[in-house]
Amino acid sequence: MNPPKGDAFALRSAYAMKLDHLVEPPMFKVSDTHYAATWLLHPLAPKVEKPINIGRKMVNINE
């Protein structure tokens, strides 16, 4: 009934920026079958280090 402003996952994200709490992020195509709604893929977003666990999961997916 009363969805939060911005990104619904912002409260649970260690990478949430102030913008995430105000405006819903745009969708970005990350592969032929996957999209992600995140400000971190925006060209003007600050660069952040990828968490080690995500890097490991991406390696396992591509094997």
Side-chain angles (χ1 to χ4, degrees):
M1 301 274 294
N2 296 314
K5 283 185 177 179
D7 185 346
F9 297 101
L11 293 175
R12 296 180 265 168
S13 175
Y15 295 97
M17 299 175 285
K18 288 181 184 179
L19 180 62
D20 288 307
H21 296 278
L22 302 173
V23 182
E24 186 174 346
M27 293 291 280
F28 290 93
K29 185 175 182 178
V30 293
S31 76
D32 288 339
T33 59
H34 291 83
Y35 287 81
T38 177
W39 287 108
L40 291 173
L41 294 177
H42 190 279
L44 298 177
K47 302 302 176 211
V48 296
E49 287 293 320
K50 185 176 6 178
I52 293 170
N53 288 340
I54 290 177
R56 288 182 187 147
K57 289 178 184 179
M58 292 176 75
V59 170
N60 292 336
I61 289 171
N62 295 323
E63 291 180 348

Short mmCIF file of all heavy atoms in Angstrom, two decimals:
data_model
loop_
_atom_site.label_atom_id
_atom_site.label_comp_id
_atom_site.label_asym_id
_atom_site.label_seq_id
_atom_site.Cartn_x
_atom_site.Cartn_y
_atom_site.Cartn_z
N MET A 1 0.82 -1.19 0.00
CA MET A 1 0.00 0.00 0.00
C MET A 1 0.87 1.26 0.00
O MET A 1 0.57 2.19 -0.70
CB MET A 1 -0.91 0.01 1.23
CG MET A 1 -1.84 -1.17 1.34
SD MET A 1 -3.37 -0.97 0.45
CE MET A 1 -4.16 0.34 1.29
N ASN A 2 1.93 1.27 0.80
CA ASN A 2 2.81 2.43 0.89
C ASN A 2 4.25 1.99 0.61
O ASN A 2 5.05 1.87 1.52
CB ASN A 2 2.73 3.07 2.27
CG ASN A 2 1.37 3.63 2.56
OD1 ASN A 2 0.79 4.30 1.73
ND2 ASN A 2 0.84 3.34 3.73
N PRO A 3 4.57 1.75 -0.67
CA PRO A 3 5.94 1.31 -0.97
C PRO A 3 6.95 2.39 -0.59
O PRO A 3 6.64 3.58 -0.62
CB PRO A 3 5.92 1.06 -2.47
CG PRO A 3 4.78 1.86 -2.97
CD PRO A 3 3.78 1.96 -1.86
N PRO A 4 8.17 1.97 -0.25
CA PRO A 4 9.18 2.97 0.10
C PRO A 4 9.59 3.79 -1.12
O PRO A 4 9.46 3.34 -2.26
CB PRO A 4 10.36 2.13 0.60
CG PRO A 4 10.17 0.81 -0.07
CD PRO A 4 8.68 0.63 -0.21
N LYS A 5 10.07 4.99 -0.89
CA LYS A 5 10.62 5.80 -1.98
C LYS A 5 11.93 5.16 -2.41
O LYS A 5 12.61 4.51 -1.63
CB LYS A 5 10.93 7.22 -1.51
CG LYS A 5 9.76 8.11 -1.37
CD LYS A 5 10.24 9.51 -1.02
CE LYS A 5 9.09 10.46 -0.94
NZ LYS A 5 9.56 11.81 -0.58
N GLY A 6 12.29 5.35 -3.64
CA GLY A 6 13.58 4.89 -4.12
C GLY A 6 13.65 3.38 -4.31
O GLY A 6 12.67 2.73 -4.61
N ASP A 7 14.83 2.85 -4.12
CA ASP A 7 15.11 1.43 -4.30
C ASP A 7 14.57 0.64 -3.11
O ASP A 7 14.93 0.91 -1.96
CB ASP A 7 16.63 1.23 -4.42
CG ASP A 7 17.02 -0.20 -4.73
OD1 ASP A 7 16.18 -1.12 -4.61
OD2 ASP A 7 18.18 -0.41 -5.10
N ALA A 8 13.72 -0.32 -3.37
CA ALA A 8 13.12 -1.11 -2.30
C ALA A 8 14.15 -1.88 -1.49
O ALA A 8 13.89 -2.27 -0.35
CB ALA A 8 12.09 -2.07 -2.89
N PHE A 9 15.33 -2.11 -2.04
CA PHE A 9 16.37 -2.88 -1.35
C PHE A 9 17.41 -1.99 -0.65
O PHE A 9 18.35 -2.48 -0.05
CB PHE A 9 17.09 -3.81 -2.33
CG PHE A 9 16.18 -4.84 -2.92
CD1 PHE A 9 15.67 -4.67 -4.20
CD2 PHE A 9 15.82 -5.96 -2.20
CE1 PHE A 9 14.82 -5.61 -4.74
CE2 PHE A 9 14.96 -6.91 -2.73
CZ PHE A 9 14.46 -6.73 -4.01
N ALA A 10 17.26 -0.69 -0.73
CA ALA A 10 18.27 0.24 -0.20
C ALA A 10 18.54 0.04 1.28
O ALA A 10 19.68 0.13 1.72
CB ALA A 10 17.86 1.68 -0.47
N LEU A 11 17.51 -0.23 2.05
CA LEU A 11 17.71 -0.40 3.49
C LEU A 11 18.56 -1.62 3.82
O LEU A 11 19.17 -1.69 4.88
CB LEU A 11 16.36 -0.49 4.21
CG LEU A 11 15.53 0.79 4.19
CD1 LEU A 11 14.16 0.53 4.81
CD2 LEU A 11 16.25 1.91 4.90
N ARG A 12 18.60 -2.59 2.91
CA ARG A 12 19.36 -3.83 3.16
C ARG A 12 20.70 -3.87 2.45
O ARG A 12 21.40 -4.88 2.51
CB ARG A 12 18.54 -5.04 2.70
CG ARG A 12 17.26 -5.20 3.50
CD ARG A 12 16.50 -6.40 3.03
NE ARG A 12 15.52 -5.94 2.04
CZ ARG A 12 14.83 -6.72 1.26
NH1 ARG A 12 15.01 -8.02 1.30
NH2 ARG A 12 13.96 -6.24 0.41
N SER A 13 21.07 -2.80 1.78
CA SER A 13 22.29 -2.80 0.98
C SER A 13 23.41 -1.99 1.63
O SER A 13 23.23 -0.81 1.94
CB SER A 13 22.01 -2.23 -0.41
OG SER A 13 23.21 -2.11 -1.14
N ALA A 14 24.55 -2.63 1.77
CA ALA A 14 25.72 -1.92 2.29
C ALA A 14 26.24 -0.90 1.28
O ALA A 14 27.01 -0.01 1.63
CB ALA A 14 26.82 -2.93 2.61
N TYR A 15 25.83 -1.01 0.02
CA TYR A 15 26.28 -0.12 -1.04
C TYR A 15 25.26 0.97 -1.37
O TYR A 15 25.46 1.73 -2.32
CB TYR A 15 26.61 -0.92 -2.30
CG TYR A 15 27.78 -1.83 -2.08
CD1 TYR A 15 27.59 -3.17 -1.76
CD2 TYR A 15 29.08 -1.36 -2.16
CE1 TYR A 15 28.67 -4.01 -1.54
CE2 TYR A 15 30.16 -2.19 -1.94
CZ TYR A 15 29.94 -3.51 -1.64
OH TYR A 15 31.01 -4.33 -1.42
N ALA A 16 24.17 1.05 -0.62
CA ALA A 16 23.14 2.05 -0.90
C ALA A 16 23.71 3.46 -0.75
O ALA A 16 24.45 3.75 0.18
CB ALA A 16 21.95 1.85 0.01
N MET A 17 23.35 4.29 -1.70
CA MET A 17 23.74 5.69 -1.67
C MET A 17 22.52 6.52 -1.29
O MET A 17 21.40 6.02 -1.29
CB MET A 17 24.26 6.10 -3.05
CG MET A 17 25.48 5.31 -3.50
SD MET A 17 25.99 5.70 -5.20
CE MET A 17 24.72 4.85 -6.13
N LYS A 18 22.71 7.78 -0.98
CA LYS A 18 21.57 8.65 -0.64
C LYS A 18 20.52 8.62 -1.74
O LYS A 18 19.32 8.58 -1.46
CB LYS A 18 22.04 10.08 -0.41
CG LYS A 18 22.81 10.27 0.87
CD LYS A 18 23.22 11.72 1.03
CE LYS A 18 24.08 11.89 2.26
NZ LYS A 18 24.52 13.28 2.43
N LEU A 19 20.96 8.61 -2.98
CA LEU A 19 20.07 8.59 -4.12
C LEU A 19 19.14 7.37 -4.09
O LEU A 19 17.98 7.46 -4.46
CB LEU A 19 20.88 8.62 -5.42
CG LEU A 19 20.11 8.60 -6.73
CD1 LEU A 19 19.22 9.84 -6.83
CD2 LEU A 19 21.08 8.55 -7.89
N ASP A 20 19.66 6.22 -3.64
CA ASP A 20 18.85 5.00 -3.59
C ASP A 20 17.62 5.15 -2.70
O ASP A 20 16.62 4.47 -2.91
CB ASP A 20 19.69 3.83 -3.08
CG ASP A 20 20.72 3.37 -4.09
OD1 ASP A 20 20.32 3.09 -5.23
OD2 ASP A 20 21.90 3.29 -3.73
N HIS A 21 17.71 6.01 -1.71
CA HIS A 21 16.60 6.21 -0.78
C HIS A 21 15.58 7.22 -1.31
O HIS A 21 14.51 7.37 -0.73
CB HIS A 21 17.13 6.66 0.58
CG HIS A 21 17.99 5.63 1.24
ND1 HIS A 21 17.47 4.57 1.94
CD2 HIS A 21 19.33 5.48 1.27
CE1 HIS A 21 18.46 3.83 2.40
NE2 HIS A 21 19.60 4.36 2.00
N LEU A 22 15.90 7.87 -2.42
CA LEU A 22 15.03 8.92 -2.97
C LEU A 22 14.39 8.56 -4.30
O LEU A 22 13.24 8.90 -4.56
CB LEU A 22 15.82 10.22 -3.13
CG LEU A 22 16.48 10.77 -1.87
CD1 LEU A 22 17.37 11.94 -2.22
CD2 LEU A 22 15.42 11.16 -0.86
N VAL A 23 15.16 7.91 -5.17
CA VAL A 23 14.71 7.66 -6.55
C VAL A 23 14.93 6.19 -6.91
O VAL A 23 16.00 5.64 -6.65
CB VAL A 23 15.50 8.55 -7.54
CG1 VAL A 23 15.03 8.33 -8.96
CG2 VAL A 23 15.41 10.00 -7.15
N GLU A 24 13.90 5.58 -7.50
CA GLU A 24 14.04 4.20 -7.95
C GLU A 24 15.11 4.13 -9.05
O GLU A 24 15.10 4.94 -9.98
CB GLU A 24 12.71 3.70 -8.50
CG GLU A 24 12.72 2.23 -8.84
CD GLU A 24 11.35 1.73 -9.25
OE1 GLU A 24 10.35 2.43 -9.01
OE2 GLU A 24 11.29 0.64 -9.81
N PRO A 25 16.03 3.17 -8.96
CA PRO A 25 17.10 3.09 -9.96
C PRO A 25 16.60 2.59 -11.31
O PRO A 25 15.61 1.86 -11.38
CB PRO A 25 18.09 2.10 -9.35
CG PRO A 25 17.27 1.26 -8.44
CD PRO A 25 16.17 2.15 -7.92
N PRO A 26 17.29 2.96 -12.38
CA PRO A 26 16.94 2.49 -13.71
C PRO A 26 17.40 1.04 -13.92
O PRO A 26 18.25 0.53 -13.19
CB PRO A 26 17.71 3.43 -14.64
CG PRO A 26 18.89 3.86 -13.83
CD PRO A 26 18.43 3.89 -12.40
N MET A 27 16.81 0.41 -14.92
CA MET A 27 17.19 -0.97 -15.27
C MET A 27 18.35 -0.93 -16.25
O MET A 27 18.36 -0.13 -17.18
CB MET A 27 16.02 -1.71 -15.92
CG MET A 27 14.86 -1.96 -14.99
SD MET A 27 15.25 -3.16 -13.73
CE MET A 27 15.07 -4.66 -14.64
N PHE A 28 19.32 -1.82 -16.03
CA PHE A 28 20.47 -1.96 -16.93
C PHE A 28 20.56 -3.41 -17.37
O PHE A 28 20.39 -4.32 -16.57
CB PHE A 28 21.78 -1.58 -16.21
CG PHE A 28 21.89 -0.13 -15.91
CD1 PHE A 28 21.47 0.37 -14.68
CD2 PHE A 28 22.41 0.76 -16.84
CE1 PHE A 28 21.57 1.71 -14.40
CE2 PHE A 28 22.51 2.11 -16.56
CZ PHE A 28 22.08 2.58 -15.34
N LYS A 29 20.83 -3.61 -18.64
CA LYS A 29 21.02 -4.96 -19.17
C LYS A 29 22.43 -5.40 -18.80
O LYS A 29 23.40 -4.74 -19.14
CB LYS A 29 20.84 -4.97 -20.68
CG LYS A 29 20.89 -6.35 -21.29
CD LYS A 29 20.58 -6.29 -22.77
CE LYS A 29 20.60 -7.69 -23.36
NZ LYS A 29 20.24 -7.67 -24.78
N VAL A 30 22.54 -6.52 -18.07
CA VAL A 30 23.86 -7.02 -17.68
C VAL A 30 24.26 -8.27 -18.46
O VAL A 30 25.42 -8.66 -18.45
CB VAL A 30 23.94 -7.27 -16.15
CG1 VAL A 30 23.84 -5.97 -15.38
CG2 VAL A 30 22.88 -8.24 -15.69
N SER A 31 23.30 -8.90 -19.13
CA SER A 31 23.59 -10.02 -20.03
C SER A 31 22.37 -10.17 -20.93
O SER A 31 21.39 -9.45 -20.80
CB SER A 31 23.86 -11.31 -19.25
OG SER A 31 22.67 -11.87 -18.76
N ASP A 32 22.41 -11.13 -21.83
CA ASP A 32 21.27 -11.35 -22.73
C ASP A 32 20.02 -11.79 -21.98
O ASP A 32 18.92 -11.65 -22.49
CB ASP A 32 21.62 -12.40 -23.79
CG ASP A 32 22.60 -11.86 -24.82
OD1 ASP A 32 22.70 -10.62 -24.96
OD2 ASP A 32 23.26 -12.67 -25.49
N THR A 33 20.19 -12.31 -20.78
CA THR A 33 19.04 -12.83 -20.03
C THR A 33 18.81 -12.15 -18.68
O THR A 33 17.89 -12.53 -17.97
CB THR A 33 19.20 -14.34 -19.79
OG1 THR A 33 20.41 -14.57 -19.06
CG2 THR A 33 19.22 -15.12 -21.09
N HIS A 34 19.64 -11.20 -18.32
CA HIS A 34 19.52 -10.58 -16.99
C HIS A 34 19.59 -9.05 -17.05
O HIS A 34 20.36 -8.49 -17.82
CB HIS A 34 20.62 -11.10 -16.06
CG HIS A 34 20.45 -12.51 -15.69
ND1 HIS A 34 20.87 -13.54 -16.50
CD2 HIS A 34 19.89 -13.08 -14.61
CE1 HIS A 34 20.59 -14.68 -15.93
NE2 HIS A 34 19.98 -14.44 -14.78
N TYR A 35 18.78 -8.45 -16.19
CA TYR A 35 18.76 -7.00 -16.00
C TYR A 35 18.96 -6.72 -14.52
O TYR A 35 18.66 -7.57 -13.68
CB TYR A 35 17.43 -6.42 -16.45
CG TYR A 35 17.27 -6.40 -17.95
CD1 TYR A 35 16.88 -7.54 -18.63
CD2 TYR A 35 17.50 -5.25 -18.69
CE1 TYR A 35 16.73 -7.54 -20.01
CE2 TYR A 35 17.36 -5.23 -20.06
CZ TYR A 35 16.97 -6.37 -20.72
OH TYR A 35 16.84 -6.36 -22.08
N ALA A 36 19.44 -5.54 -14.20
CA ALA A 36 19.61 -5.14 -12.81
C ALA A 36 19.14 -3.70 -12.66
O ALA A 36 19.46 -2.85 -13.49
CB ALA A 36 21.08 -5.25 -12.39
N ALA A 37 18.38 -3.46 -11.61
CA ALA A 37 17.95 -2.10 -11.27
C ALA A 37 18.90 -1.60 -10.20
O ALA A 37 18.81 -1.98 -9.05
CB ALA A 37 16.52 -2.10 -10.77
N THR A 38 19.86 -0.77 -10.61
CA THR A 38 20.87 -0.27 -9.67
C THR A 38 21.49 1.00 -10.18
O THR A 38 21.76 1.13 -11.38
CB THR A 38 21.96 -1.32 -9.42
OG1 THR A 38 22.95 -0.76 -8.56
CG2 THR A 38 22.60 -1.81 -10.69
N TRP A 39 21.74 1.92 -9.27
CA TRP A 39 22.45 3.14 -9.63
C TRP A 39 23.94 2.86 -9.81
O TRP A 39 24.65 3.64 -10.42
CB TRP A 39 22.24 4.22 -8.58
CG TRP A 39 20.87 4.80 -8.63
CD1 TRP A 39 19.85 4.61 -7.73
CD2 TRP A 39 20.33 5.64 -9.65
NE1 TRP A 39 18.73 5.28 -8.12
CE2 TRP A 39 19.00 5.93 -9.31
CE3 TRP A 39 20.85 6.18 -10.81
CZ2 TRP A 39 18.18 6.74 -10.09
CZ3 TRP A 39 20.03 6.98 -11.59
CH2 TRP A 39 18.72 7.26 -11.23
N LEU A 40 24.44 1.75 -9.28
CA LEU A 40 25.87 1.45 -9.36
C LEU A 40 26.33 1.17 -10.79
O LEU A 40 27.52 1.23 -11.08
CB LEU A 40 26.22 0.27 -8.44
CG LEU A 40 26.12 0.58 -6.96
CD1 LEU A 40 26.32 -0.68 -6.13
CD2 LEU A 40 27.12 1.66 -6.55
N LEU A 41 25.41 0.87 -11.69
CA LEU A 41 25.78 0.65 -13.09
C LEU A 41 25.65 1.92 -13.94
O LEU A 41 26.00 1.91 -15.11
CB LEU A 41 24.93 -0.47 -13.69
CG LEU A 41 25.17 -1.86 -13.10
CD1 LEU A 41 24.22 -2.86 -13.71
CD2 LEU A 41 26.61 -2.29 -13.29
N HIS A 42 25.17 2.98 -13.34
CA HIS A 42 25.03 4.25 -14.05
C HIS A 42 26.43 4.80 -14.36
O HIS A 42 27.34 4.68 -13.54
CB HIS A 42 24.24 5.24 -13.19
CG HIS A 42 23.84 6.47 -13.92
ND1 HIS A 42 24.70 7.52 -14.12
CD2 HIS A 42 22.68 6.80 -14.52
CE1 HIS A 42 24.09 8.46 -14.81
NE2 HIS A 42 22.84 8.05 -15.06
N PRO A 43 26.62 5.39 -15.51
CA PRO A 43 27.95 5.91 -15.88
C PRO A 43 28.52 6.93 -14.88
O PRO A 43 29.74 7.05 -14.75
CB PRO A 43 27.73 6.58 -17.24
CG PRO A 43 26.50 5.97 -17.79
CD PRO A 43 25.66 5.55 -16.61
N LEU A 44 27.68 7.65 -14.17
CA LEU A 44 28.17 8.65 -13.22
C LEU A 44 28.29 8.12 -11.78
O LEU A 44 28.64 8.87 -10.88
CB LEU A 44 27.24 9.87 -13.22
CG LEU A 44 27.14 10.61 -14.56
CD1 LEU A 44 26.14 11.75 -14.46
CD2 LEU A 44 28.50 11.12 -14.99
N ALA A 45 28.01 6.85 -11.58
CA ALA A 45 28.07 6.26 -10.23
C ALA A 45 29.51 6.18 -9.73
O ALA A 45 30.44 6.01 -10.52
CB ALA A 45 27.47 4.86 -10.24
N PRO A 46 29.68 6.28 -8.42
CA PRO A 46 31.04 6.10 -7.87
C PRO A 46 31.49 4.66 -8.07
O PRO A 46 30.67 3.74 -8.09
CB PRO A 46 30.87 6.43 -6.39
CG PRO A 46 29.43 6.23 -6.11
CD PRO A 46 28.70 6.52 -7.38
N LYS A 47 32.76 4.47 -8.26
CA LYS A 47 33.29 3.12 -8.43
C LYS A 47 33.47 2.48 -7.05
O LYS A 47 33.99 3.12 -6.14
CB LYS A 47 34.63 3.15 -9.16
CG LYS A 47 34.55 3.80 -10.53
CD LYS A 47 33.56 3.10 -11.42
CE LYS A 47 33.41 3.81 -12.76
NZ LYS A 47 32.12 3.69 -13.35
N VAL A 48 33.01 1.24 -6.91
CA VAL A 48 33.15 0.52 -5.65
C VAL A 48 33.81 -0.83 -5.92
O VAL A 48 33.73 -1.37 -7.02
CB VAL A 48 31.79 0.29 -4.95
CG1 VAL A 48 31.16 1.62 -4.55
CG2 VAL A 48 30.85 -0.51 -5.82
N GLU A 49 34.48 -1.35 -4.92
CA GLU A 49 35.09 -2.67 -5.03
C GLU A 49 34.00 -3.73 -4.97
O GLU A 49 33.11 -3.66 -4.13
CB GLU A 49 36.08 -2.89 -3.89
CG GLU A 49 37.36 -2.10 -4.04
CD GLU A 49 38.20 -2.55 -5.22
OE1 GLU A 49 38.30 -3.77 -5.47
OE2 GLU A 49 38.74 -1.67 -5.91
N LYS A 50 34.08 -4.71 -5.86
CA LYS A 50 33.14 -5.81 -5.86
C LYS A 50 33.43 -6.71 -4.65
O LYS A 50 34.59 -7.06 -4.43
CB LYS A 50 33.30 -6.59 -7.16
CG LYS A 50 32.31 -7.68 -7.36
CD LYS A 50 32.43 -8.39 -8.69
CE LYS A 50 33.58 -8.00 -9.55
NZ LYS A 50 33.70 -8.72 -10.78
N PRO A 51 32.41 -7.07 -3.86
CA PRO A 51 32.65 -7.97 -2.74
C PRO A 51 33.26 -9.30 -3.22
O PRO A 51 32.91 -9.80 -4.29
CB PRO A 51 31.26 -8.20 -2.15
CG PRO A 51 30.47 -7.01 -2.59
CD PRO A 51 31.03 -6.63 -3.94
N ILE A 52 34.16 -9.86 -2.45
CA ILE A 52 34.85 -11.10 -2.82
C ILE A 52 33.86 -12.21 -3.14
O ILE A 52 34.02 -12.93 -4.12
CB ILE A 52 35.81 -11.54 -1.71
CG1 ILE A 52 36.95 -10.52 -1.59
CG2 ILE A 52 36.37 -12.94 -1.97
CD1 ILE A 52 37.83 -10.72 -0.37
N ASN A 53 32.82 -12.36 -2.32
CA ASN A 53 31.85 -13.44 -2.54
C ASN A 53 31.14 -13.32 -3.88
O ASN A 53 30.86 -14.32 -4.53
CB ASN A 53 30.82 -13.47 -1.41
CG ASN A 53 31.42 -13.98 -0.13
OD1 ASN A 53 32.45 -14.64 -0.13
ND2 ASN A 53 30.78 -13.67 0.97
N ILE A 54 30.85 -12.12 -4.32
CA ILE A 54 30.20 -11.93 -5.61
C ILE A 54 31.15 -12.33 -6.72
O ILE A 54 30.77 -13.00 -7.68
CB ILE A 54 29.71 -10.49 -5.79
CG1 ILE A 54 28.53 -10.24 -4.85
CG2 ILE A 54 29.32 -10.21 -7.23
CD1 ILE A 54 28.00 -8.85 -4.87
N GLY A 55 32.41 -11.98 -6.60
CA GLY A 55 33.39 -12.38 -7.60
C GLY A 55 33.49 -13.89 -7.71
O GLY A 55 33.57 -14.44 -8.80
N ARG A 56 33.46 -14.57 -6.58
CA ARG A 56 33.51 -16.04 -6.58
C ARG A 56 32.29 -16.63 -7.25
O ARG A 56 32.37 -17.58 -8.02
CB ARG A 56 33.62 -16.56 -5.15
CG ARG A 56 34.96 -16.32 -4.53
CD ARG A 56 35.00 -16.90 -3.13
NE ARG A 56 36.24 -16.53 -2.48
CZ ARG A 56 36.37 -16.31 -1.19
NH1 ARG A 56 35.33 -16.44 -0.39
NH2 ARG A 56 37.52 -15.96 -0.68
N LYS A 57 31.10 -16.09 -6.95
CA LYS A 57 29.87 -16.60 -7.55
C LYS A 57 29.89 -16.40 -9.05
O LYS A 57 29.45 -17.27 -9.80
CB LYS A 57 28.66 -15.90 -6.94
CG LYS A 57 28.39 -16.32 -5.52
CD LYS A 57 27.20 -15.58 -4.94
CE LYS A 57 27.02 -15.96 -3.49
NZ LYS A 57 25.90 -15.25 -2.87
N MET A 58 30.40 -15.26 -9.52
CA MET A 58 30.45 -15.00 -10.95
C MET A 58 31.38 -15.99 -11.63
O MET A 58 31.08 -16.45 -12.73
CB MET A 58 30.89 -13.56 -11.22
CG MET A 58 29.85 -12.55 -10.78
SD MET A 58 30.39 -10.86 -10.97
CE MET A 58 30.25 -10.68 -12.74
N VAL A 59 32.48 -16.34 -11.01
CA VAL A 59 33.41 -17.32 -11.58
C VAL A 59 32.70 -18.67 -11.69
O VAL A 59 32.77 -19.34 -12.71
CB VAL A 59 34.69 -17.44 -10.73
CG1 VAL A 59 35.52 -18.62 -11.18
CG2 VAL A 59 35.49 -16.16 -10.85
N ASN A 60 31.99 -19.08 -10.64
CA ASN A 60 31.30 -20.36 -10.64
C ASN A 60 30.20 -20.43 -11.70
O ASN A 60 29.99 -21.45 -12.31
CB ASN A 60 30.71 -20.67 -9.26
CG ASN A 60 31.77 -20.91 -8.22
OD1 ASN A 60 32.89 -21.28 -8.55
ND2 ASN A 60 31.45 -20.68 -6.97
N ILE A 61 29.52 -19.33 -11.93
CA ILE A 61 28.45 -19.29 -12.92
C ILE A 61 29.03 -19.47 -14.32
O ILE A 61 28.46 -20.15 -15.17
CB ILE A 61 27.68 -17.96 -12.83
CG1 ILE A 61 26.84 -17.93 -11.55
CG2 ILE A 61 26.77 -17.75 -14.03
CD1 ILE A 61 26.21 -16.58 -11.26
N ASN A 62 30.17 -18.89 -14.56
CA ASN A 62 30.76 -18.93 -15.89
C ASN A 62 31.50 -20.22 -16.21
O ASN A 62 31.97 -20.41 -17.31
CB ASN A 62 31.70 -17.73 -16.08
CG ASN A 62 30.94 -16.42 -16.04
OD1 ASN A 62 29.81 -16.35 -16.55
ND2 ASN A 62 31.51 -15.41 -15.46
N GLU A 63 31.64 -21.09 -15.22
CA GLU A 63 32.38 -22.34 -15.48
C GLU A 63 31.51 -23.36 -16.17
O GLU A 63 30.35 -23.38 -16.13
CB GLU A 63 32.88 -22.91 -14.15
CG GLU A 63 33.97 -22.08 -13.56
CD GLU A 63 34.48 -22.61 -12.24
OE1 GLU A 63 33.86 -23.51 -11.64
OE2 GLU A 63 35.52 -22.11 -11.79
#
